[in-house]
Amino acid sequence: MSARAIFFDRDGTLNRDHAFTYQIKDLEIIENVVPALQKLKSDYDFFIVTNQSGVKRGLFSLEEAEKFTSALLEELKKSKIDFKKFYICPHHPNENCECRKPKAKFLLEASKEFQIDLKSSWVIGDRGSDIELAKRAGTSSILVLTGVNFSSLQEIKSLGSDYIAADLLEAANFIEAEKTISKIISRDQISKVIQQERSKGRKIVTLNGSFDLLHEGHQKILAEAKAQGDILLVALNSDASIQTYKSPDRPLNSENSRLRRMSAFSEVDYVTLFSETTPLDLLEDIRPDVHVNGSEYGENCIEAPLVKKYGGRIHIVKLVEGRSTSALLQSKIHKK
Ligand SMILES: [Mg+2]
Ligand SMILES: [Zn+2]
């Protein structure tokens, strides 16, 4: 039991969901799926597990469902991405069969046939049934927001996935972060670690925020921050502090998940958590050479006097985060 696997849902995760998708003309691989799979393929065996009740409903045949899935895999093969096997449940939800997700039959089968260690494997999908499948099979799980819509943020959170990702590439980055978790430093240790960096003559840059549901804009902010010095420390607001200053529905991702994901950025050298509503105590400890902040606060942000007192400066970046994350979430809810 040594191999690790990722069990992908099909519609809304790998290809666009056209509601009972089976015609080859509707085969549309979702943006970022190919780079995501390329990132993960050397570490994991890939499988597809899909519910296709359209078969039992008489909308299409099992052969058509298989043909469509094979066409998807052929398309991915062109980018040197291989799947071990795909599993299709053709039954109607009312039949109470043994193979329809969230039932774990197919994962247990795959585990036996391919010596998969489920505990170190993942399920990635766009629905609650995918996340429930993961729980039943004992894998970790990621919800991708590329498929179905939800009625509220609370509904998305309540599914209880290990991570919520805007798309499959974000999901891949989260999984890959197992290699970079040593960048996560506790609040108690961080001053000492930064002091050591400073003693080597390195210029320290700080940045703080919630970094909840990530998108490309975040990478740009981190790159600009990193360019201001040698060592970039990102301080994440704790869950409790975000609930206080943002909204009780946020964050979508827990502080531990956010720390892990943040560590995967090559621009980030260290990541820590702080529980106050402002980063002032942390900045007092770190005394950064440059503190990076969003343009909505500007040069006169509350951190400015403290940073300048110790000879540092404030660097302003245009933050599009709030707006884009909200827009992204807006598109996923209230449209059921
Ligand atoms: Mg799906
Ligand atoms: Zn079934």
Side-chain angles (χ1 to χ4, degrees), residues 129-194:
S129 53
D130 297 306
I131 306 311
E132 177 61 24
L133 166 67
K135 288 177 190 164
R136 294 192 191 184
T139 72
S140 301
S141 65
I142 300 179
L143 183 79
V144 286
L145 300 180
T146 46
V148 291
N149 292 322
F150 296 93
S151 58
S152 65
L153 293 185
Q154 201 44 52
E155 187 189 356
I156 296 176
K157 270 177 85 163
S158 68
L159 300 178
S161 62
D162 291 290
Y163 194 62
I164 297 162
D167 63 19
L168 198 64
L169 186 54
E170 259 312 305
N173 287 330
F174 183 76
I175 291 175
E176 285 285 281
E178 70 179 0
K179 296 169 181 165
T180 51
I181 49 174
S182 62
K183 292 183 191 174
I184 302 171
I185 311 287
S186 74
R187 178 70 180 80
D188 300 343
Q189 294 297 310
I190 195 69
S191 330
K192 204 174 130 199
V193 170
I194 293 296

Side-chain angles (χ1 to χ4, degrees), residues 108-123:
L108 300 176
E109 270 180 30
S111 166
K112 265 194 195 147
E113 185 178 348
F114 299 94
Q115 281 79 52
I116 304 294
D117 174 21
L118 292 173
K119 279 197 300 297
S120 49
S121 296
W122 296 79
V123 171

Side-chain angles (χ1 to χ4, degrees), residues 226-241:
K226 173 73 174 184
Q228 307 308 311
D230 305 308
I231 296 293
L232 175 59
L233 164 65
V234 177
L236 297 185
N237 296 84
S238 69
D239 290 348
S241 72

